Amino acid sequence: MKSYIIFNSNSNPFLKILSLSSLYLQVFFFFLIQIHFSFSSSPKTLIFPLKTQTLRSPNKLQFHHNVSLIVSLTVGIPPQNVSMVLDTGSELSWLHCNRTTGNNQSDPKKFDPTQSTSYKPVLCSSPTCINQTQDFPIPASCDSENLCHATLSYADASSSEGNLASDIFHLGSSDNFSGLVFGCMGSIFSSNSDEDSKTTGLMGMNRGSLSFVSQMGYPKFSYCISGFDFSGLLLLGDSNFTWLTPLNYTPLIQISQPLPYFDRVAYTVQLEGIKVSGKLLPIPKSVLVPDHTGAGQTMVDSGTQFTFLLEPVYNVLRAEFLNQTGGILRVLGDPNFVFQGAMDLCYLVPLGQNNLPNLPSVSFIFTGAEMVVSGDRVLYRVPGEIRGNDSVWCLSFGNSDLLGVEAYVIGHHHQQNMWMEFDLEKSRIGLAHVRCDLARQRFGVDL
């Protein structure tokens, strides 16, 4: 049996001080260890230039002339250049793949898995295929080679399909992420293949387990799009910078039970009201919350250009905007013209007119935050549409019912000149009005 010497610190003040000092040292080192692990467990902040590019990217809405946000990086060993559409409304990242066979030459706009020594297909029996594809709109399947097969389809009748795979994604000069799962899509069906060929694929950034940001392990990410030169930046990691305007946060809405029209991994916020030039519109609260089927959620989506509202709310906004612009804009007055099937309030503006008149602002009121859309962003010039000596401009908010979409969608056109922070750790979105072109310069980000 071991013998122990027990000191009673209460009887000796000096020993009591030693005992307390030892306790404080233990607590101090404990917190040092906790701080070390909290910093080492999160990847370091990375910044990418964000470009806007006119193309028709596959998305949930029936748009054929879309402006998308583009991120450029390299994938594989040796690295291949890829450009990906930033999409907070999608989960699976994917690349348009082109396998080199025989004398065929690789397409520089596509990713060639046969040229990457680090490329690994995902088996359909793997936990990734079985457990992590449950939020896909179309369930993953098993192909003839026992590989995990994915099919993505969109409301504009475009689709892509191929196999899940993993490879190394190079995110900077020395930052590599190996084993990132993506879709290597060999078949792309589209109504406009020329426009789709401008990018290699899509970067899914929603809250699903296979999204790019989830796999990277970042607790938050941000982006900022300039309304002046349409440049921007994507920041992976924390954005606590002293020069950044304090953010107003709105919580993400969670519904745990599966509902037919509710996207559980989307960035869903609570829209509480809409104002036009400060006037609160008479919109019943009941139409702004999801119903028993999940229809009526409000999603913040960087993969959609414009904002779409369910018909009862759209009609109220349309009527008020029409009323406030009665003396400053000429209505097109063509009942047969509906831009992209969803925007039916359009105006005629003389071709020689360089500036639009002062337009009413439109404000979206969320729980704890507000997004103000003002200036030219309230309208959108229809490309190539000329009526006599006039160009055609439409209200940049559409009727989502006309597109068959049972939701409110806040698109990136109305997120310009706003710092958008997506905090996955605390389930919230932060908003702040900033000059995004100046923010990009502060970070020294070159396009």
Side-chain angles (χ1 to χ4, degrees):
M1 179 181 292
K2 288 187 177 181
S3 61
Y4 296 87
I5 300 176
I6 301 175
F7 292 96
N8 185 357
S9 61
N10 292 326
S11 62
N12 189 320
F14 179 72
L15 290 177
K16 187 173 183 179
I17 292 172
L18 286 177
S19 178
L20 287 172
S21 299
S22 176
L23 176 62
Y24 290 146
L25 280 173
Q26 290 179 48
V27 172
F28 175 74
F29 283 116
F30 172 79
F31 279 109
L32 275 182
I33 292 170
Q34 293 300 310
I35 291 171
H36 167 75
F37 278 110
S38 65
F39 276 96
S40 61
S41 61
S42 297
K44 72 176 185 179
T45 298
L46 295 175
I47 303 173
F48 299 88
L50 198 58
K51 303 176 184 178
T52 55
Q53 184 172 320
T54 302
L55 49 83
R56 192 208 57 78
S57 66
N59 70 52
K60 296 160 287 301
L61 307 177
Q62 302 175 41
F63 266 73
H64 302 287
H65 294 88
N66 206 0
V67 173
S68 294
L69 308 178
I70 308 298
V71 182
S72 297
L73 40 84
T74 60
V75 179
I77 297 177
Q80 300 179 42
N81 294 322
V82 299
S83 55
M84 307 175 76
V85 175
L86 181 72
D87 189 359
T88 59
S90 294
E91 177 174 359
L92 182 66
S93 299
W94 58 266
L95 298 175
H96 194 176
C97 289
N98 178 52
R99 288 173 168 79
T100 303
T101 56
N103 295 324
N104 294 340
Q105 291 188 344
S106 182
D107 187 337
K109 287 292 185 180
K110 299 177 183 177
F111 176 72
D112 189 346
T114 65
Q115 300 300 309
S116 174
T117 59
S118 50
Y119 176 87
K120 297 178 182 177
V122 173
L123 298 177
C124 59
S125 58
S126 69
T128 297
C129 190
I130 296 172
N131 301 324
Q132 292 187 274
T133 61
Q134 297 176 358
D135 287 317
F136 288 9
I138 300 176
S141 60
C142 195
D143 70 4
S144 60
E145 299 179 358
N146 291 322
L147 301 179
C148 191
H149 190 79
T151 300
L152 305 175
S153 63
Y154 304 92
D156 63 356
S158 65
S159 64
S160 61
E161 61 177 296
N163 294 327
L164 294 192
S166 67
D167 210 329
I168 295 178
F169 279 65
H170 307 274
L171 305 179
S173 58
S174 60
D175 300 289
N176 302 322
F177 187 87
S178 60
L180 192 139
V181 176
F182 65 101
C184 191
M185 302 309 198
S187 300
I188 307 289
F189 302 99
S190 169
S191 60
N192 197 333
S193 58
D194 290 339
E195 293 296 332
D196 288 339
S197 65
K198 292 180 180 179
T199 60
T200 315
L202 179 141
M203 181 182 286
M205 295 289 281
N206 72 10
R207 296 188 292 163
S209 63
L210 285 182
S211 76
F212 189 89
V213 66
S214 295
Q215 291 190 67
M216 291 290 295
Y218 280 98
K220 63 178 67 172
F221 69 94
S222 308
Y223 59 75
C224 200
I225 315 157
S226 171
F228 299 95
D229 59 7
F230 304 107
S231 64
L233 61 90
L234 168 66
L235 185 147
L236 300 178
D238 212 330
S239 59
N240 291 333
F241 303 102
T242 55
W243 55 266
L244 184 61
T245 304
L247 304 180
N248 293 316
Y249 288 95
T250 184
L252 295 174
I253 303 299
Q254 314 253 14
I255 296 181
S256 57
Q257 66 184 91
L259 297 175
Y261 294 109
F262 190 88
D263 186 345
R264 291 186 296 169
V265 291
Y267 294 102
T268 302
V269 295
Q270 182 57 61
L271 180 61
E272 295 189 338
I274 299 176
K275 294 187 291 186
V276 178
S277 290
K279 178 181 178 181
L280 185 64
L281 301 183
I283 301 172
K285 298 288 186 181
S286 58
V287 302
L288 297 176
V289 297
D291 63 18
H292 66 284
T293 68
Q297 71 182 119
T298 300
M299 299 181 288
V300 180
D301 186 4
S302 68
T304 298
Q305 183 177 1
F306 300 108
T307 293
F308 298 90
L309 309 171
L310 290 177
E311 189 167 76
V313 175
Y314 171 76
N315 287 340
V316 175
L317 171 62
R318 184 187 188 280
E320 182 59 33
F321 193 86
L322 185 63
N323 178 59
Q324 293 195 24
T325 55
I328 60 175
L329 289 173
R330 288 182 295 139
V331 177
L332 173 61
D334 182 355
N336 296 319
F337 183 80
V338 180
F339 179 51
Q340 299 292 353
M343 299 176 176
D344 63 355
L345 178 56
C346 300
Y347 298 92
L348 294 173
V349 177
L351 289 171
Q353 184 172 322
N354 296 323
N355 299 309
L356 293 174
N358 291 329
L359 299 172
S361 63
V362 176
S363 302
F364 292 101
I365 305 169
F366 306 108
T367 305
E370 186 171 336
M371 178 183 290
V372 181
V373 181
S374 59
D376 293 359
R377 289 181 297 146
V378 178
L379 298 182
Y380 180 76
R381 182 173 178 175
V382 180
E385 191 69 29
I386 305 295
R387 300 295 178 95
N389 294 319
D390 298 312
S391 57
V392 176
W393 294 67
C394 295
L395 182 66
S396 57
F397 305 86
N399 184 342
S400 60
D401 288 57
L402 296 178
L403 299 174
V405 177
E406 299 290 336
Y408 302 93
V409 182
I410 310 296
H412 67 73
H413 181 75
H414 297 136
Q415 299 172 37
Q416 291 175 7
N417 290 326
M418 295 205 69
W419 189 272
M420 302 291 301
E421 179 187 271
F422 295 76
D423 190 338
L424 285 75
E425 190 173 50
K426 295 183 178 179
S427 295
R428 61 184 186 173
I429 292 179
L431 312 173
H433 288 273
V434 299
R435 280 281 303 273
C436 293
D437 56 328
L438 298 182
R440 180 175 57 80
Q441 293 174 17
R442 277 184 175 270
F443 284 111
V445 176
D446 295 323
L447 295 177

